[in-house]
Amino acid sequence: MSWRSFEHALDRWFPAGTNPLRHLGALACLALALLLTTGAWLFAVYDSSVAGAHPSVSALAAQPLAGGLVRGLHRYAGDALLIFVWLHLLREWALGRHRLFRRATWWTGLPLLPFLYIVAIGGFWLAWDRLAQYAAIASAQWLDTLPLVGGGFARQFDLEVPDRLFSLLLFVHTGVALLVVFALWFHLQRLARPALWPPRALALGTLGVLLALALLWPVRSGPPAELGSAPLIASFDWWLLHLLPLADATPTLAWLAVVAMLALLALAPLWPRAPAASAAVVDAENCNGCGRCVDDCPYVAVSLVTRTGGDALAVVDADLCAACGLCAGACPSATPFRSNTRLISGIDLPGSTVDALRLRLRAQLAARPAAVVVYACERGAGPSTDVAGVDCVWLPLACVGQLPPAFVDYALRQGATGVVVAACEACEFRLGERYARERLAGLREPRLRARVPTQRWRIVRAAEGEERQLTEVIDGLRRARG
Amino acid sequence: MYSWRALIGQTLLYAAFAAAIGIGSWWPPYQHLAPGRALVKLSMVHHGERLGECVALTPEELAQLPPNMRAPTRCPRERAPVTVEVDIDGAPAIRRSAQPSGLARDGAAVLHERLEVAAGAHRIGVRMRDRAGEEGFGYSLDTDVTLAPAEILVVDFDAETRRIVLR
């Protein structure tokens, strides 16, 4: 069972785009926001002296609806964050979204992993109970095996712990947490309009689960740390501390495992090599420097430079270009109503130009006049036997966002009975379906002209295998036309 | 509005998510020290003796130095490694030698070892050598201890009294 079919199966339970597997990055951001909020509260009540650390944390249990709830949320949001991050990483890898133009985003996400583990393990130290004692000693001994650390870190916990140590640990815990926020910002630099917040229903469901856990299964401190005896731990957070038992048993092997895992993840985008699609190209004579392609590029691959005369000109960074065609769909010069023999737009995909689309449309409508025109994402429903019997002109696109909206109007004026814009199940290029809907609804430039009758076109989502539903939409348009 | 099938499915998934977090966050308990066992920790941060003797400078040599650097003796920076042996009930338990820290090998040598032993009475022998070319051990301690289950006994060196101590 592939990851995509697993996701598709879950769509039945989570309709209307609320499938959690499609929002793992946003769910991780939600968990991080919870951690920062509850962490600020805990920071305010925490006593960073050796004598005060344990009492200040264990006292939270006396206020189950205030401090206890906040502590529980902090802990369980930490567990959830690490789960979401690993699942997010697994999903992007399984869908091949770590290569080519996405590899910079993949690489900038990797430092988040060690930062998260440092914050997670360091957080356990602060409670200074028996579990904290174990976590502190095990991780200090592990650090001591590094060549440049010096080897005296674990000794801090053999005799008396100095008071200033907890101030330092608190500084490290909060400081690295802020570093996580910075690393996240860096991770998202190559994405336009990143989804930082999951859909409301999903956010409320996740928050509800964490709140229920914090209330029903409150997080309480164990007995205070006692350096004269080895901690016998009653419970253990395997989500956040799973590295420590391995590090405790074989520190060298644990370091090797961590380094090997990070190296594998770092090298993953380089193998196997994947052919890159031809990047979008700018035609300087037809580019008026309006900047719509800059606004609409989902991967920040297009920017504006100033020409000699002072006008703006779009330029494409080929390494970042996904060849999705959203820029061509946004270009005002890509309208098929232009009278030029050859339609050359300001920005276009060399392998799938708007001129070729216009030529195919004209030729196929000439052969099948009065057909319904289907502009379809090549990753969605295909022209299978369900559609073969229907009188339609099928025009595949890299993404529905590649379609300049004037092509809907143009097809109708060329004699088409109706037009269907068929998006895939979940946009491969993040924003293509959204932009196509907004342009057709007149909410985004370039807009579909208001005079185009709305009963003569539809925009639908049709996944691979949903050809029958698409056929019903086509038939519906034909029946409405009589 | 969600269908009843979607509602059941969502409830199941949220319940599985809650169970995964709730259980993984507390269970199974981790026992890093078996019942009835205790720990002996060798934990020392100790400067070995310098490898060479300090040499007194002649007045001519001193005169060649800048005024702020005219120390009467010149001492080599490098120190000797520190070697420690621990025997439990007459059997060798730890044999460790640590180099001085620092690029010039003039810092303290750090020894940190952990040894699990059965709780109860033991005879512990500790020997330490911190001088280069020394045949035997300059410091030693032989004593009887009784360790409770999970107790930690730290073997250290007290720099003030120049003695091996058990804490």
Side-chain angles (χ1 to χ4, degrees), chain A residues 133 159 215 219 252 355 419 446 455 463:
Chain A
Q133 183 186 348
L159 306 167
L215 280 170
V219 177
T252 310
D355 184 53
V419 175
Q455 67 273 22

Side-chain angles (χ1 to χ4, degrees), chain A residues 13-15 75-76 79 84 134 150-151 155 158-159 202 205 217 227-232 234-239 248, chain B residues 2 6 9-10 13-14 17 20-22 24-33 41 43 45 110 112 114 150 152 156 167:
Chain A
W13 291 355
F14 292 87
R75 164 79 163 273
Y76 293 128
D79 293 326
F84 290 144
Y134 166 76
R155 188 179 146 81
D158 288 339
L159 306 167
L202 188 56
W217 217 331
L227 295 178
S229 68
L232 301 174
S235 63
F236 196 78
D237 190 331
W238 291 94
W239 291 117
D248 202 19
Chain B
Y2 294 125
Q10 289 193 20
L13 195 83
Y14 280 124
F17 177 54
I21 289 189
S25 183
W26 295 106
W27 189 87
Y30 173 61
Q31 189 79 38
H32 80 291
L33 188 66
K41 278 190 184 178
S43 175
V45 177
V110 179
H112 201 272
R114 191 176 48 159
I152 299 174
D156 196 1
R167 302 180 197 267

Side-chain angles (χ1 to χ4, degrees), chain A residues 133-160:
Chain A
Q133 183 186 348
Y134 166 76
I137 293 172
S139 44
Q141 284 171 347
W142 195 28
L143 282 174
D144 276 345
T145 57
L146 285 176
L148 296 176
V149 172
F153 199 25
R155 188 179 146 81
Q156 298 279 339
F157 301 98
D158 288 339
L159 306 167
E160 266 184 29

Side-chain angles (χ1 to χ4, degrees), chain B residues 83-113:
Chain B
T83 303
V84 177
E85 294 184 359
V86 178
D87 295 344
I88 308 274
D89 300 325
I94 298 174
R95 297 284 183 270
R96 272 291 312 274
S97 185
Q99 292 294 332
S101 57
L103 292 174
R105 294 205 181 283
D106 59 345
V110 179
L111 293 116
H112 201 272
E113 286 285 320

Side-chain angles (χ1 to χ4, degrees), chain A residues 33-44 70 74 173-174:
Chain A
L34 265 176
L35 277 165
L36 293 173
T37 316
T38 50
W41 198 96
L42 293 171
F43 182 84
V70 172
H74 194 69
H173 183 62
T174 51

